[in-house]
Amino acid sequence: MCLLATGYDAVTLGNNEGLTFPPQVLQERFGNHPGFQVVVANLIEPGTGRPPVWASPFHVMNKAGLKIGLIGCTAPFAEFYRLLGWEVQEPLNLVAKLAEECVLRWMC
């Protein structure tokens, strides 16, 4: 599967991926595609407090001279994600915080 060939600028994980696949499978699926952006802010690797190394909490891109910030989150089904080895944070406050950071850091 070549994610770059899809034509998408970025993807996020939905609960279908997050609740079906453990960390090692998602690493195999998404970690081997350098240059392809997986944006998911609230899916956290236990012990690190951060999204997986193959993902970013947000992505800023330029389209026709316009900077666009993307923030991705998955559904906060914490109990189910924990069974597969993930932590998941409540997305609403996290998105607000990241949107502010994104504007201050990348858009100015």
Side-chain angles (χ1 to χ4, degrees):
M1 167 172 80
C2 183
L3 294 172
L4 291 172
T6 64
Y8 289 104
D9 294 306
V11 297
T12 194
L13 300 181
N15 58 293
N16 287 325
E17 296 84 11
L19 295 177
T20 304
F21 301 115
Q24 63 272 21
V25 172
L26 291 178
Q27 168 65 37
E28 291 169 9
R29 298 288 187 263
F30 295 106
N32 298 322
H33 298 279
F36 190 81
Q37 296 296 316
V38 178
V39 184
V40 60
N42 67 329
L43 187 69
I44 305 300
E45 288 185 319
T48 70
R50 300 184 47 84
V53 296
W54 43 263
S56 301
F58 63 83
H59 175 61
V60 177
M61 60 186 187
N62 289 299
K63 291 285 186 178
L66 181 66
K67 287 185 180 179
I68 302 169
L70 304 173
I71 299 171
C73 287
T74 192
F77 301 130
E79 302 84 28
F80 298 107
Y81 279 102
R82 198 172 303 114
L83 292 172
L84 288 169
W86 294 108
E87 293 177 14
V88 67
Q89 298 175 338
E90 187 283 320
L92 295 179
N93 292 331
L94 182 59
V95 167
K97 177 182 166 245
L98 287 172
E100 184 176 322
E101 179 183 335
C102 189
V103 167
L104 292 175
R105 188 169 165 194
W106 298 103
M107 302 296 199
C108 298

